[in-house]
mmCIF file of all heavy atoms in Angstrom:
data_model
loop_
_atom_site.group_PDB
_atom_site.id
_atom_site.type_symbol
_atom_site.label_atom_id
_atom_site.label_comp_id
_atom_site.label_asym_id
_atom_site.label_seq_id
_atom_site.Cartn_x
_atom_site.Cartn_y
_atom_site.Cartn_z
ATOM 1 N N ALA B 267 -9.112 4.816 41.458
ATOM 2 C CA ALA B 267 -10.220 4.032 42.046
ATOM 3 C C ALA B 267 -11.515 4.347 41.343
ATOM 4 O O ALA B 267 -12.340 3.464 41.078
ATOM 5 C CB ALA B 267 -10.265 4.166 43.519
ATOM 6 N N ARG B 268 -11.697 5.686 41.118
ATOM 7 C CA ARG B 268 -12.956 6.116 40.475
ATOM 8 C C ARG B 268 -12.914 5.763 39.003
ATOM 9 O O ARG B 268 -13.801 5.139 38.387
ATOM 10 C CB ARG B 268 -13.100 7.613 40.674
ATOM 11 C CG ARG B 268 -14.465 8.146 40.132
ATOM 12 C CD ARG B 268 -14.490 9.682 40.135
ATOM 13 N NE ARG B 268 -13.349 10.314 39.358
ATOM 14 C CZ ARG B 268 -13.295 10.362 38.049
ATOM 15 N NH1 ARG B 268 -14.266 9.834 37.296
ATOM 16 N NH2 ARG B 268 -12.285 10.885 37.468
ATOM 17 N N GLU B 269 -11.828 6.138 38.354
ATOM 18 C CA GLU B 269 -11.737 5.994 36.843
ATOM 19 C C GLU B 269 -11.783 4.520 36.483
ATOM 20 O O GLU B 269 -12.418 4.176 35.457
ATOM 21 C CB GLU B 269 -10.456 6.665 36.371
ATOM 22 C CG GLU B 269 -10.367 6.780 34.874
ATOM 23 C CD GLU B 269 -11.251 7.807 34.245
ATOM 24 O OE1 GLU B 269 -11.342 8.947 34.804
ATOM 25 O OE2 GLU B 269 -11.976 7.452 33.248
ATOM 26 N N PHE B 270 -11.159 3.686 37.238
ATOM 27 C CA PHE B 270 -11.109 2.251 36.875
ATOM 28 C C PHE B 270 -12.049 1.308 37.716
ATOM 29 O O PHE B 270 -11.894 0.100 37.658
ATOM 30 C CB PHE B 270 -9.632 1.749 36.938
ATOM 31 C CG PHE B 270 -8.707 2.445 35.927
ATOM 32 C CD1 PHE B 270 -7.865 3.420 36.345
ATOM 33 C CD2 PHE B 270 -8.803 2.153 34.618
ATOM 34 C CE1 PHE B 270 -7.015 4.124 35.431
ATOM 35 C CE2 PHE B 270 -8.007 2.794 33.680
ATOM 36 C CZ PHE B 270 -7.165 3.766 34.131
ATOM 37 N N GLY B 271 -12.943 2.010 38.429
ATOM 38 C CA GLY B 271 -13.826 1.250 39.285
ATOM 39 C C GLY B 271 -14.613 0.196 38.486
ATOM 40 O O GLY B 271 -15.186 0.515 37.419
ATOM 41 N N GLY B 272 -14.597 -1.048 38.914
ATOM 42 C CA GLY B 272 -15.317 -2.170 38.221
ATOM 43 C C GLY B 272 -14.442 -2.756 37.165
ATOM 44 O O GLY B 272 -14.866 -3.738 36.526
ATOM 45 N N GLU B 273 -13.228 -2.223 36.903
ATOM 46 C CA GLU B 273 -12.328 -2.807 35.901
ATOM 47 C C GLU B 273 -11.084 -3.362 36.612
ATOM 48 O O GLU B 273 -10.710 -2.845 37.664
ATOM 49 C CB GLU B 273 -11.876 -1.789 34.903
ATOM 50 C CG GLU B 273 -13.047 -1.235 34.043
ATOM 51 C CD GLU B 273 -12.530 -0.201 33.043
ATOM 52 O OE1 GLU B 273 -11.705 -0.521 32.130
ATOM 53 O OE2 GLU B 273 -12.904 0.960 33.151
ATOM 54 N N TYR B 274 -10.465 -4.340 36.022
ATOM 55 C CA TYR B 274 -9.266 -4.906 36.638
ATOM 56 C C TYR B 274 -9.625 -5.314 38.022
ATOM 57 O O TYR B 274 -10.612 -5.900 38.292
ATOM 58 C CB TYR B 274 -8.076 -3.966 36.475
ATOM 59 C CG TYR B 274 -7.996 -3.457 34.988
ATOM 60 C CD1 TYR B 274 -8.310 -2.172 34.668
ATOM 61 C CD2 TYR B 274 -7.697 -4.319 33.991
ATOM 62 C CE1 TYR B 274 -8.373 -1.751 33.349
ATOM 63 C CE2 TYR B 274 -7.668 -3.963 32.672
ATOM 64 C CZ TYR B 274 -8.046 -2.656 32.370
ATOM 65 O OH TYR B 274 -8.060 -2.253 31.012
ATOM 66 N N TRP B 275 -8.685 -5.043 38.970
ATOM 67 C CA TRP B 275 -8.914 -5.495 40.375
ATOM 68 C C TRP B 275 -9.681 -4.428 41.160
ATOM 69 O O TRP B 275 -9.915 -4.604 42.389
ATOM 70 C CB TRP B 275 -7.565 -5.766 41.035
ATOM 71 C CG TRP B 275 -6.707 -4.549 41.154
ATOM 72 C CD1 TRP B 275 -6.738 -3.636 42.165
ATOM 73 C CD2 TRP B 275 -5.776 -4.135 40.169
ATOM 74 N NE1 TRP B 275 -5.781 -2.672 41.888
ATOM 75 C CE2 TRP B 275 -5.195 -2.917 40.712
ATOM 76 C CE3 TRP B 275 -5.275 -4.651 38.965
ATOM 77 C CZ2 TRP B 275 -4.209 -2.205 40.020
ATOM 78 C CZ3 TRP B 275 -4.323 -3.899 38.285
ATOM 79 C CH2 TRP B 275 -3.821 -2.745 38.774
ATOM 80 N N TYR B 276 -9.999 -3.282 40.539
ATOM 81 C CA TYR B 276 -10.660 -2.216 41.285
ATOM 82 C C TYR B 276 -12.130 -2.520 41.497
ATOM 83 O O TYR B 276 -12.822 -2.899 40.593
ATOM 84 C CB TYR B 276 -10.555 -0.888 40.538
ATOM 85 C CG TYR B 276 -9.135 -0.406 40.409
ATOM 86 C CD1 TYR B 276 -8.370 -0.630 39.313
ATOM 87 C CD2 TYR B 276 -8.569 0.398 41.453
ATOM 88 C CE1 TYR B 276 -7.072 -0.162 39.149
ATOM 89 C CE2 TYR B 276 -7.290 0.859 41.337
ATOM 90 C CZ TYR B 276 -6.519 0.600 40.149
ATOM 91 O OH TYR B 276 -5.255 1.051 40.072
ATOM 92 N N PRO B 277 -12.610 -2.384 42.730
ATOM 93 C CA PRO B 277 -14.030 -2.619 42.998
ATOM 94 C C PRO B 277 -14.875 -1.509 42.406
ATOM 95 O O PRO B 277 -14.355 -0.393 42.086
ATOM 96 C CB PRO B 277 -14.131 -2.619 44.565
ATOM 97 C CG PRO B 277 -12.969 -1.746 44.997
ATOM 98 C CD PRO B 277 -11.891 -1.968 43.973
ATOM 99 N N GLU B 278 -16.142 -1.691 42.252
ATOM 100 C CA GLU B 278 -17.039 -0.577 41.799
ATOM 101 C C GLU B 278 -16.776 0.624 42.630
ATOM 102 O O GLU B 278 -16.632 0.515 43.871
ATOM 103 C CB GLU B 278 -18.530 -1.026 41.882
ATOM 104 C CG GLU B 278 -18.950 -2.100 40.959
ATOM 105 C CD GLU B 278 -18.971 -1.645 39.498
ATOM 106 O OE1 GLU B 278 -19.084 -0.385 39.233
ATOM 107 O OE2 GLU B 278 -18.944 -2.498 38.611
ATOM 108 N N TRP B 279 -16.716 1.734 42.013
ATOM 109 C CA TRP B 279 -16.432 3.004 42.743
ATOM 110 C C TRP B 279 -17.623 3.397 43.635
ATOM 111 O O TRP B 279 -18.701 3.426 43.218
ATOM 112 C CB TRP B 279 -16.141 4.102 41.749
ATOM 113 C CG TRP B 279 -16.074 5.496 42.350
ATOM 114 C CD1 TRP B 279 -16.896 6.585 42.113
ATOM 115 C CD2 TRP B 279 -15.116 5.980 43.362
ATOM 116 N NE1 TRP B 279 -16.522 7.669 42.864
ATOM 117 C CE2 TRP B 279 -15.471 7.327 43.645
ATOM 118 C CE3 TRP B 279 -14.084 5.342 44.105
ATOM 119 C CZ2 TRP B 279 -14.778 8.128 44.578
ATOM 120 C CZ3 TRP B 279 -13.447 6.120 44.988
ATOM 121 C CH2 TRP B 279 -13.760 7.484 45.254
ATOM 122 N N ASP B 280 -17.274 3.585 44.921
ATOM 123 C CA ASP B 280 -18.264 3.905 45.868
ATOM 124 C C ASP B 280 -17.772 5.111 46.705
ATOM 125 O O ASP B 280 -16.870 4.975 47.551
ATOM 126 C CB ASP B 280 -18.526 2.686 46.825
ATOM 127 C CG ASP B 280 -19.397 2.995 47.938
ATOM 128 O OD1 ASP B 280 -19.918 4.106 48.081
ATOM 129 O OD2 ASP B 280 -19.668 2.083 48.775
ATOM 130 N N SER B 281 -18.285 6.282 46.394
ATOM 131 C CA SER B 281 -17.711 7.495 46.952
ATOM 132 C C SER B 281 -17.942 7.528 48.415
ATOM 133 O O SER B 281 -17.258 8.389 49.141
ATOM 134 C CB SER B 281 -18.356 8.650 46.230
ATOM 135 O OG SER B 281 -19.668 8.817 46.610
#
Side-chain angles (χ1 to χ4, degrees):
Chain B
R268 183 188 59 75
E269 188 71 47
F270 296 103
E273 294 179 69
Y274 311 106
W275 62 88
Y276 294 95
E278 291 291 339
W279 170 240
D280 174 0
S281 68

